[in-house]
Amino acid sequence: MNLRLTVLLFAAMLLPPGFSRAGQYNSVLKVGDEAPAWVELPGVDDKKHSLADLKDKQVLVVVFTCNSCPVALDYEDRIIAFAKKHASKVAVVAINVNKRKAEDRLPGMKERAKEKGFEFPYLYDESQKIAKLYGAVYTPEFFVLDKDRKVAYMGAMDDKSPPAMPKEQFLEAAANAVLKGEKPATAETLARGCRVDYVRPPR
């Protein structure tokens, strides 16, 4: 037995009962985990939104995005098109947690949502808690939740950043699989975009 394998086995023995590591690219969640719930987050519609509000939808797509990332902005039309295509069975919720720049705060979000004609909830979490619970690192970053609100897919929407045309539609394929009661063939990918602008608490 080589040294590396010995170290890995020893480390595994030290883990607490019931511990399982997170995903390949996500340091917090893994596919199959129960999705963290948000409660009473303000939206651009001046209403408060919770995960429980969407219990009637078979599939839920959560996307962490913002107004200040050019990659996130380039993906907006794709997200809008996806939401319209699957409106009858799939709910799409966009969440922004960035707060250093004016365009990323709620007033700027309202302007952007109106300009683009968002027909899905666009929520703001100034605490940044929900993005941390999901392990979100990039904007945009996508999570597909099944009817039991367990994570079925997480990562990128597709295999290309705009303006290139994608060859692999990861989000589309994952949502279609979950709608059929199946597991996505690709359940995790590395998201592309700008890093979520987490603010470190003062020491």
Side-chain angles (χ1 to χ4, degrees):
M1 183 180 296
N2 62 43
L3 179 60
R4 183 172 181 272
L5 182 57
T6 302
V7 171
L8 289 174
L9 289 174
F10 181 71
M13 292 172 61
L14 295 178
L15 294 176
F19 177 88
S20 59
R21 74 178 184 88
Q24 181 179 0
Y25 302 111
N26 190 307
S27 64
V28 177
L29 293 180
K30 66 180 183 302
V31 171
D33 282 349
E34 184 174 350
W38 60 88
V39 179
E40 297 291 298
L41 287 184
V44 296
D45 57 359
D46 292 320
K47 298 178 181 179
K48 296 293 181 69
H49 296 257
S50 300
L51 175 61
D53 299 336
L54 302 165
K55 60 182 181 296
D56 294 333
K57 289 292 186 178
Q58 188 174 347
V59 176
L60 174 59
V61 172
V62 181
V63 52
F64 290 94
T65 188
C66 68
N67 291 359
S68 61
C69 172
V71 178
L73 297 183
D74 282 339
Y75 266 94
E76 285 178 339
D77 288 340
R78 295 185 192 187
I79 297 169
I80 292 168
F82 176 91
K84 288 181 177 179
K85 179 179 180 180
H86 297 282
S88 62
K89 294 182 179 180
V90 179
V92 174
V93 176
I95 302 177
N96 181 8
V97 303
N98 287 358
K99 57 184 182 179
R100 293 185 201 263
K101 299 179 180 179
E103 63 263 40
D104 279 330
R105 294 191 285 271
L106 195 55
M109 291 169 56
K110 290 179 179 180
E111 292 180 7
R112 188 66 182 176
K114 182 178 181 180
E115 177 186 345
K116 296 297 295 185
F118 288 174
E119 296 182 2
F120 47 82
Y122 188 19
L123 314 182
Y124 186 51
D125 181 14
E126 188 174 6
S127 74
Q128 302 190 319
K129 179 180 178 181
I130 192 63
K132 292 177 182 177
L133 290 174
Y134 274 79
V137 176
Y138 296 100
T139 55
E141 187 163 347
F142 298 82
F143 296 79
V144 176
L145 313 183
D146 65 19
K147 63 181 179 180
D148 297 319
R149 297 305 180 246
K150 292 185 177 180
V151 178
Y153 170 81
M154 52 188 180
M157 185 174 195
D158 51 44
D159 66 340
K160 295 288 186 181
S161 294
M165 292 301 296
K167 295 180 180 179
E168 296 287 340
Q169 299 279 2
F170 302 125
L171 180 65
E172 180 81 20
N176 287 334
V178 176
L179 285 170
K180 296 176 183 177
E182 302 171 355
K183 293 183 178 180
T186 300
E188 186 178 1
T189 60
L190 180 63
R192 297 175 174 85
C194 309
R195 283 192 170 270
V196 176
D197 188 14
Y198 288 115
V199 178
R200 293 182 179 181
R203 293 182 178 180

